[in-house]
Amino acid sequence: MKIAVLPGDGIGPEIVAQAVKVLDALRREGLNIELEQAPIGGAGYDAAGDPLPQTTLDLARAADAVLLGAVGGPQYDQLDRPLRPERGLLRIRKELNLFANLRPALLYPELASASTLKPEVVAGLDIMIVRELTGDIYFGQPRGIEMRGGERVGFNTMVYAESEVRRVAKVAFDISMKRGRKLCSVEKANVLECSELWKEVVIEVGRQYPEVELSHMYVDNAAMQLVRNPKQFDVIVTGNIFGDILSDEASMLSGSIGMLPSASLDLRNKGMYEPIHGSAPDIAGRDVANPLATMLSLGMMFRYTFADAAIADRIDGAVKRVIAQGLRTADIWTQGCERVSCSAMGDAVVGALG
Ligand code: IPM
Ligand code: MG
């Protein structure tokens, strides 16, 4: 198993270091894991003048899976757009063709009080958002800012080819088959042609999955339903921009964005795994960040890319155990729990691997 480790910026290095502790522990058990680190984002810019240095991209291509921390920081906000950390992330997703982004939103019972929603609304929450990741308005052409009629005009293009919709819809239906067999496709077909096509193609793909109950929802309504009654959802499939927004919203249902992992997969289940939170520059380097989303991302790596459910279950189980033991980083701490540092949490997870 060759894993490219891309810590990135801000809290990225400290949270990734905790996941590497888990990999080291597995290696000591005899698992054949090769790790190689490379810079991305602001770190890539600092090292090579490029948020996705060629050597980093080559390493990621050669690896079976990529573990990423986070990118971005205020010191990079003034750079030209193509040099900004976020561009490195968008480019690696595109270059590796990681079109299917899996973002689970799962509530640990012990953390129900950390959610801003009433416990009865979120208790038992278990949603999987499948976000298309390499198309849509994120990559559509034309795009730019230009002078028109004496004023500046900014423009982007929302675009989906049916093949792009079809492949991500298939992933979502396949996942639905392994879960509650309920899939909700989210778009804005009442206004956008792009969404009209999206909906049509999802319905076509759905004919091959008669066991899955398919529904359709406009994105504005979906945003509302997610906070009104989130448990009505099992799997959600949606485009890049809607998925970006809805997955942040869904993450808050579970109390802390510091708890949620993600997987970004290509057609052959090669994947990049990253916590869905950002680089949190305000707390970087202070050993207080929550490494659990990164741990759970590692769990997803074993589940999806290495198809090793036993190890995935051990990692997920270790995370559950440390939470049950009452260990909490600052973001999820509540009265009566033990407040621990990022590195102490990492050690605890290693200890709880079983
Ligand atoms: C995410 C992030 C990225 C995105 C940014 C950092 C480019 O918000 O992974 O959700 O918009 O996709
Ligand atoms: Mg986002």
Side-chain angles (χ1 to χ4, degrees):
M1 301 173 212
K2 268 174 104 168
I3 305 174
V5 179
L6 315 181
D9 309 318
I11 58 170
E14 33 195 310
I15 53 176
V16 163
Q18 308 315 311
V20 168
K21 286 181 187 169
V22 171
L23 288 170
D24 285 340
L26 294 172
R27 229 173 359 191
R28 283 195 295 275
E29 291 176 12
L31 227 63
N32 185 4
I33 302 172
E34 267 177 54
L35 300 180
E36 206 171 327
Q37 283 212 15
I40 192 168
Y45 175 78
D46 290 339
D50 183 349
L52 180 61
Q54 188 61 45
T55 47
T56 301
L57 180 58
D58 291 344
L59 179 74
R61 275 196 211 286
D64 303 307
V66 179
L67 181 67
L68 183 108
V71 301
Q75 68 271 46
Y76 306 109
D77 285 349
Q78 302 311 317
L79 291 173
D80 282 350
R81 216 156 259 287
L83 296 177
R84 295 208 195 140
E86 294 75 14
R87 277 297 170 96
L89 184 58
L90 296 176
R91 267 171 51 208
I92 196 170
R93 289 172 178 171
K94 188 79 175 170
E95 293 281 349
L96 299 182
N97 204 17
L98 306 172
F99 67 91
N101 184 211
L102 278 40
R103 298 192 165 189
L106 192 136
L107 184 81
Y108 294 84
E110 297 92 340
L111 300 184
S113 60
S115 174
T116 46
L117 273 80
K118 293 193 192 106
E120 65 267 29
V121 174
V122 291
L125 180 88
D126 182 359
I127 301 176
M128 176 68 88
I129 296 185
V130 180
R131 168 191 177 194
E132 200 289 329
L133 202 60
T134 53
D136 201 354
I137 197 164
Y138 271 60
F139 297 93
Q141 296 288 346
R143 65 190 295 162
I145 300 173
E146 63 184 33
M147 292 299 287
R148 290 185 194 167
E151 66 171 345
R152 285 173 304 160
V153 174
F155 53 97
N156 291 87
T157 303
M158 180 175 274
V159 54
Y160 267 121
E162 56 181 322
S163 55
E164 293 176 295
V165 181
R166 198 166 288 126
R167 64 184 185 176
V168 75
K170 275 197 188 125
V171 171
F173 276 107
D174 286 339
I175 288 174
S176 300
M177 287 295 290
K178 292 188 195 144
R179 294 177 42 113
R181 304 194 169 185
K182 247 176 74 182
L183 176 63
C184 180
S185 168
V186 172
E187 26 65 11
K188 187 74 183 171
N190 52 342
V191 178
L192 306 171
E193 285 80 1
C194 186
S195 282
E196 213 180 293
L197 178 73
W198 173 283
K199 184 173 174 182
E200 271 179 42
V201 175
V202 171
I203 291 172
E204 282 166 29
V205 175
R207 295 206 182 100
Q208 284 137 42
Y209 297 86
E211 299 99 324
V212 177
E213 179 195 321
L214 174 64
S215 63
H216 305 273
M217 203 179 274
Y218 300 142
V219 63
D220 49 349
N221 186 27
M224 181 184 75
Q225 296 298 336
L226 265 178
V227 285
R228 194 186 74 87
N229 175 21
K231 282 184 272 179
Q232 69 185 282
F233 297 107
D234 179 26
V235 181
I236 291 175
V237 63
T238 189
N240 204 344
I241 184 92
F242 298 154
D244 178 45
I245 298 164
L246 292 181
S247 61
D248 262 31
E249 189 188 6
S251 74
M252 255 304 129
L253 304 173
S254 73
S256 169
I257 197 165
M259 291 300 299
L260 296 182
S262 78
S264 306
L265 305 176
D266 74 1
L267 277 168
R268 300 168 52 226
N269 279 347
K270 172 170 176 162
M272 184 162 83
Y273 296 83
E274 55 179 312
I276 84 157
H277 60 70
S279 57
D282 51 321
I283 57 163
R286 289 175 31 208
D287 197 23
V288 297
N290 185 345
L292 295 181
T294 313
M295 298 291 192
L296 294 167
S297 301
L298 190 64
M300 290 185 90
M301 182 188 294
F302 280 95
R303 199 171 301 284
Y304 291 97
T305 292
F306 299 132
D308 191 333
I311 291 189
D313 288 345
R314 277 176 70 197
I315 296 173
D316 292 358
V319 169
K320 279 204 189 94
R321 232 162 285 137
V322 297
I323 289 177
Q325 285 162 13
L327 304 187
R328 303 282 188 277
T329 43
D331 57 314
I332 50 172
W333 182 84
T334 47
Q335 205 69 45
C337 292
E338 185 185 343
R339 196 180 187 125
V340 296
S341 66
C342 176
S343 51
M345 188 63 110
D347 294 337
V349 172
V350 172
L353 271 177

